[in-house]
């Protein structure tokens, strides 16, 4: 079979673009997960289901209303509501009980998968980029959808916004304080319960939006959660829990490893990101920029 | 009356009394279907297929009632074997049909070897499954074979070069190997072969690396085909697409992907639109049973013919469900199904029609049309796979 390397150098720019666009989707998925895990120590495996619902809610609204923007808003708000309900009704009772959280949220994944199957049927659905962002441009002589470049710009924008929120606002300070020393934060009179709900809701909204935004690329189907979960976990472990920068760095590393792995190391492509995970766990378990050990 | 005649009379009466008991004993057919899990889209239509086949014979064969024992294999080999165990040990089934997924199918076929329970595959598997035992019946043939006909047809249509992409596991490799061997056998050249891990979300790297060729042939584990084809179109590539299995793009997915899918070539064991009388009758019966406007998915025609085969074999043995009798009858069966005549070759691999299809738009509706059939071909390719 023809050697991939022969064509590889000319493809470097386009593959870089592919890799970074993919990394931005990973960042949007992982930032919510990292925020929740970092702040509340909750391992929310239903995160993948939130992604799935983001696409479903958004696509249903977009096709009913004809508006992509409405679809986007529905994805974010709809999943935020689901997230808030999950946190308030169920997860709140399992504070610090990590095993129970895992079991509960895993059960939720199965329930959500069957709900989706029941409501929307077994077939996958693909989203459609809005007209203004459809069409092709080219990088290094190879064509790429304009939408993917939009995802890159958006991802960087969200990163900047979340970083600002984390470092330059009082809300961000409270969240960071809570991550570092919860008892002290409580002692200083912060209503930590409300902070947790807000963080959980924000995390859910982010991943719901991520799902809808990635809709034209990877779509949705009832078992989507299982595609998303390993990615979220690996990005967060590699990049480091609890900071936006960590999620971003992890996303870039994993996004590029996976993308270049597919082209340059196809035999290893299936395992590339898991190898990265194992290496990171051995060398620096808290991840590149982890706040907690 | 002398003693002989007395004994004869008594034994005659006793056997007559026993007959109703035999006739009343139902024949149990175990069916393993994926109602949940990754391949859950296949379960409900396959269930429809077995139910319709049973309806067609009125629920009885050779005076004995047919009892379907349907179990969910959850798209998981471990669960599939557990359920198979239940079917054999608790429910005492006479025959087992399914599951769908090739790894689960292999596991169940292996398990059934010890009891010798006749086992019928509902869909294509790897040729290796035939080695599991003489209780294995593979009516649709092998995965490789379907790829082989895809490659044969592509070459016959005049294409000289091809890109091939498949999911990197047994089924994906079998399908694409078949395509490659056939295409090359007819003088074609494979310019590139790509293998994508299961669960790939972004096909961008593969698509942008595709070299120029006359076509791109693919088989991917669902739901990847929808993603791949969408991204392929979005990247603006125009090389014709060949879906090595048309089931990668069922009608709901064609609808979702839109008009750009028109012209895609696909291979299947059946087409909803086939205009034979028996198929038209089947389509009408389906609509009657499941509601006006309902369309059967390809999976309905995986399980329907299998049930026809089993029921015909039971008819041939006149209700005798002893293992060896059933196996002999299965080997000799020939049934006319909506997908054409089905029978078994000498190695228990099926002889069926292979359908070459392409996507057309009929009015508002995107669907698969029959381009040509390769009639009554062995499920095992000429290369032995």
């Amino acid at each position: 079979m023809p050697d991939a390397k022969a064509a590889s150098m000319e493809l470097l720019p386009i593959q870089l673009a592919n890799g970074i666009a993919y990394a931005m989707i990973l960042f949007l998925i992982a930032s919510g997960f990292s925020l929740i895990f970092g702040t509340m120590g909750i391992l929310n495996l239903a995160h993948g289901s939130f992604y799935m619902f983001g696409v479903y809610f958004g696509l249903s609204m977009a096709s009913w209303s004809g508006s992509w923007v409405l679809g986007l808003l529905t994805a974010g708000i709809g999943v935020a509501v689901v997230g808030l309900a999950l946190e308030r009704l169920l997860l709140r009772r399992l504070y610090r009980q990590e095993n129970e959280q895992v079991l509960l949220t895993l059960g939720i994944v199965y329930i959500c998968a069957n709900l989706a199957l029941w409501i929307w049927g077994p077939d996958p659905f693909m989203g459609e980029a809005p007209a203004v962002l459809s069409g092709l441009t080219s990088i290094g002589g190879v064509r790429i959808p304009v939408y993917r470049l939009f995802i890159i710009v958006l991802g960087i924008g969200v990163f900047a916004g979340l970083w600002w929120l984390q470092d330059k606002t009082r809300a961000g300070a409270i969240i960071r304080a809570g991550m570092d020393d919860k008892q002290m934060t409580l002692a200083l009179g912060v209503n930590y319960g409300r902070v947790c709900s807000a963080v959980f809701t924000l995390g859910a909204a982010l991943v719901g939006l991520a799902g809808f935004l990635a809709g034209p690329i990877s779509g949705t189907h009832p078992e989507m959660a299982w595609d998303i979960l390993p990615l979220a976990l690996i990005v967060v472990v590699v990049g480091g829990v609890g900071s936006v920068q960590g999620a971003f760095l992890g996303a870039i590393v994993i996004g590029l490893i996976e993308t270049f792995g597919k082209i340059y190391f196809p035999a290893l492509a299936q395992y590339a990101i898991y190898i990265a995970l194992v290496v990171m766990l051995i060398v620096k378990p808290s991840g590149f920029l982890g706040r907690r050990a | 009356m002398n003693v002989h005649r007395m004994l004869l009379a008594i034994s005659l009466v006793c056997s007559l009394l026993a007959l109703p008991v035999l006739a009343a004993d139902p024949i149990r057919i175990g069916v393993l279907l994926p109602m949940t899990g990754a391949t859950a889209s296949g379960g409900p239509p396959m269930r429809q297929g077995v139910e319709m086949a049973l309806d067609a014979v009125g629920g009885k064969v050779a005076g004995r009632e047919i009892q379907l024992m349907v179990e969910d294999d959850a798209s998981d080999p471990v669960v599939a074997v557990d359920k198979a165990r239940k079917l054999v040990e608790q429910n005492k089934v006479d025959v087992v049909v399914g599951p769908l997924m090739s790894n689960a199918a292999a596991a169940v076929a292996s398990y059934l070897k010890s009891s010798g329970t006749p086992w019928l595959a509902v869909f294509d598997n790897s040729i290796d499954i035939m080695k599991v035992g003489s209780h294995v019946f593979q009516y649709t043939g092998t995965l490789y074979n379907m790829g082989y006909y895809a490659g044969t047809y592509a070459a016959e249509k005049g294409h000289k070069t091809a890109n091939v992409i498949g999911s990197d596991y047994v089924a994906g490799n079998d399908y694409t190997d078949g395509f490659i061997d056939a295409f090359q056998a007819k003088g074609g050249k494979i310019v590139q072969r790509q293998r994508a891990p299961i669960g790939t979300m972004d096909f961008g790297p593969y698509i942008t690396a595709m070299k120029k060729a006359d076509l791109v042939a693919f088989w991917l584990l669902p739901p990847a085909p929808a993603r791949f084809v969408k991204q392929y179109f979005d990247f603006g590539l125009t090389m014709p697409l060949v879906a090595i299995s048309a089931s990668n793009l069922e009608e709901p997915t064609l609808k979702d992907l839109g008009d750009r899918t028109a012209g895609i070539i696909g291979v299947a064991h059946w087409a909803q639109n086939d205009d034979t009388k028996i198929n038209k009758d089947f389509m009408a019966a389906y609509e009657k049973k499941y509601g006006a406007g309902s369309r059967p998915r390809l999976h309905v025609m995986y399980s329907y013919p299998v049930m026809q085969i089993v029921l015909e074999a039971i008819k041939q043995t006149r209700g005798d469900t002893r293992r060896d009798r059933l196996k002999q009858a299965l080997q000799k069966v020939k049934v006319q199904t909506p997908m054409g005549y089905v029978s078994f070759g000498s190695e228990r691999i099926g002889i069926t029609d292979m359908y070459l299809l392409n996507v057309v738009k009929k009015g508002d509706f995107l669907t698969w049309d029959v381009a040509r059939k390769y009639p009554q071909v062995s499920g095992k390719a000429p290369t032995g796979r």
Side-chain angles (χ1 to χ4, degrees), chain B residues 143 165-177 193 219-220:
Chain B
L143 305 152
I165 179 168
S167 283
D168 193 6
Y169 82 116
V170 175
N173 292 325
D174 274 8
Y175 278 123
T176 48
D177 282 347
R193 180 180 194 170
W219 186 88
L220 298 163

Side-chain angles (χ1 to χ4, degrees), chain B residues 47 71 114 119 138 141 156 190 193 204 211 213-215 223 234 260-261 265 275 277 295 324-325 331 336 351 378:
Chain B
R47 196 189 180 123
E71 293 285 349
S114 53
W119 179 76
Q138 180 66 52
E156 283 174 4
I190 306 294
R193 180 180 194 170
K211 303 202 176 104
D214 291 340
L215 62 89
D234 283 350
R260 294 185 287 188
T261 57
I265 294 172
D275 60 6
K277 179 171 188 311
R295 303 264 306 167
D324 287 333
R325 286 303 179 86
Q331 178 69 76
Q336 193 185 17
I351 294 171
S378 167

Side-chain angles (χ1 to χ4, degrees), chain B residues 343-365:
Chain B
S343 58
F344 288 103
S346 58
E347 299 150 309
R348 291 164 281 106
I349 295 181
I351 294 171
T352 62
D353 297 342
M354 193 66 83
Y355 285 62
L356 264 296
L357 311 172
N358 54 30
V359 179
V360 296
K361 191 153 192 195
K362 293 188 185 242
D364 274 341
F365 181 58

Side-chain angles (χ1 to χ4, degrees), chain A residues 25 51 55 124-127 211 214-221 224 228, chain B residues 200-202 223 227 231:
Chain A
I25 296 172
Y51 179 99
V55 200
F125 289 114
M126 302 301 299
I217 296 170
S218 42
T220 188
H221 67 104
M224 190 81 194
I228 300 300
Chain B
T200 297
M201 295 226 301
D202 185 13
R227 288 180 189 152
Q231 292 173 21

